[in-house]
Amino acid sequence: MPHALTDASLTALLRDMPKAELHIHIEGSLEPELIFALAQRNQVELPYADVEALRSAYAFTDLQSFLDIYYAGASVLLHEQDFYDMARAYLARAVSDHVVHAEIFFDPQTHTARGVPMASVINGLYRASRDSERDWGISCALILCFLRHLSEEEAITTLAQAMPLRDRFIGVGLDSSELGHPPEKFARVFAQCRDLGLHLVAHAGEEGPPAYIWSALDTLQVERVDHGVQAQQDEALMQRLAREQIALTVCPLSNQKLQVFPDLAQHNLPQMLEAGLMVTVNSDDPAYFGGYINENFEQLFAATGMGAAQAYQLARNSLQASFVGEARKRAWMEQLDECFVRHGAEDAIAAG
Ligand code: ADE
Ligand code: ZN
């Protein structure tokens, strides 16, 4: 019988373990303080008097109520340096959470619609990624997301605009308002991206039905599903996700704040993990949802009573589900095992 760690030891382990973050919208890492600093720098008028007034507007009832404020916050981003500063701040925070690899979503249409050149967006984020790899040793890659409330034609135009910078992002995703915008709306642009050799992911089953997850898998042919928590309503889908080991990038604090689950104690991540699904823990939009990746781990574990064996599985899944080569995955998994031994949690390795 494996011995249980104390609460304090488990928290220390969750913080210290090497992990990958696979679901982070970089615009969702903009803290209110940085929003106001950029607004001043760029002379952008905000409909909030100060940082406190903005923060007090962060009371969401569903995905759309969040997206309205999230797009307003992103309006302060105008120049390449703004994108650099935003990504640098996130990556510094990720390093302190022992994130060894981050795959970062960005929403170019939010910015190009305001006249910001595509190159300012991608070059700012890319330069911050490279500088952070050099300075702090964190590995990072960019994933361009299409806004699903806009048309497929606009997504195709966006892809064309990004093509001169094709070597600076590794994949594409699909985000924004889910209900009423099923994955199959973007079948042609995802087929183009597949032909270009880009990795493919999509948000599906955050608020939307299991049918959207089937469509993301079968029509878009995604390699990972972002959120995917509604899969639990469909037993055949659960069996497929487990059999094919399709990664789900789950975001517990996001699901709580957007009222996908009434509270973290009722989150279905423990059941999905128990059912053998390739589940990972991520932060989604940490500046808006009350915490970065380690707070997601800590609060979820405190609420559900999961222990070291689940921590090991979740960290391992995050490394396994990342879009890096096998040699780097193996090196990080060795670091993961060493971390669990150092914390006296080697039983969890055998259990995992
Ligand atoms: N864009 C930023 N966060 C998102 C989320 N949780 N769902 C869909 N689109 C998003
Ligand atoms: Zn998301």
Side-chain angles (χ1 to χ4, degrees), residues 58-66 207 256-260:
Y58 293 1
F60 311 117
T61 50
D62 58 11
L63 175 58
Q64 193 59 50
S65 66
F66 154 69
E207 289 183 339
Q256 180 191 32
K257 292 292 187 305
L258 302 187
Q259 303 188 17
V260 172

Side-chain angles (χ1 to χ4, degrees), residues 23 25 63 66-67 70-71 107 175-177 203 206 227 254 258 284-285 289:
H23 186 159
H25 301 264
L63 175 58
F66 154 69
L67 290 171
Y70 161 86
Y71 293 128
D107 287 343
D175 65 4
S176 193
S177 320
H203 283 54
E206 178 183 13
H227 294 292
S254 165
L258 302 187
D284 208 9
D285 300 284
F289 299 147

Side-chain angles (χ1 to χ4, degrees), residues 43-228:
Q43 285 155 13
V44 173
E45 192 93 38
L46 288 170
Y48 301 93
D50 51 29
V51 165
E52 282 66 44
L54 175 57
R55 218 187 274 282
S56 66
Y58 293 1
F60 311 117
T61 50
D62 58 11
L63 175 58
Q64 193 59 50
S65 66
F66 154 69
L67 290 171
D68 294 341
I69 288 190
Y70 161 86
Y71 293 128
S75 69
V76 299
L77 296 159
L78 293 184
H79 307 295
E80 180 183 321
Q81 189 62 36
D82 305 336
F83 292 91
Y84 178 93
D85 291 344
M86 170 173 64
R88 262 310 241 188
Y90 162 70
L91 287 165
R93 186 59 207 258
V95 168
S96 74
D97 280 355
H98 297 111
V99 171
V100 293
H101 176 70
E103 294 180 4
I104 298 176
F105 295 152
F106 65 105
D107 287 343
Q109 288 161 292
T110 304
H111 314 298
T112 53
R114 295 178 290 109
V116 176
M118 178 67 82
S120 301
V121 180
I122 296 183
N123 288 336
L125 300 177
Y126 187 76
R127 191 159 54 83
S129 302
R130 294 294 81 85
D131 285 358
S132 302
E133 294 197 343
R134 181 198 63 209
D135 296 343
W136 304 324
I138 187 171
S139 149
C140 21
L142 298 173
I143 296 180
L144 181 160
C145 287
F146 301 117
L147 297 181
R148 69 200 307 158
H149 67 272
L150 301 177
S151 69
E152 185 177 49
E153 282 65 38
E154 286 164 289
I156 290 170
T157 303
T158 300
L159 178 64
Q161 287 168 344
M163 266 309 96
L165 299 158
R166 162 69 187 88
D167 61 328
R168 301 195 160 202
F169 57 99
I170 62 161
V172 297
L174 185 64
D175 65 4
S176 193
S177 320
E178 186 180 11
L179 289 169
H181 303 285
E184 60 269 22
K185 179 177 162 186
F186 295 89
R188 287 181 307 145
V189 71
F190 268 67
Q192 283 183 21
C193 292
R194 203 178 322 126
D195 291 344
L196 288 164
L198 287 158
H199 285 292
L200 307 178
V201 300
H203 283 54
E206 178 183 13
E207 289 183 339
Y212 284 21
I213 303 176
W214 286 106
S215 166
L217 294 173
D218 291 331
T219 305
L220 302 188
Q221 298 184 29
V222 298
E223 298 159 80
R224 296 194 302 245
V225 173
D226 298 313
H227 294 292

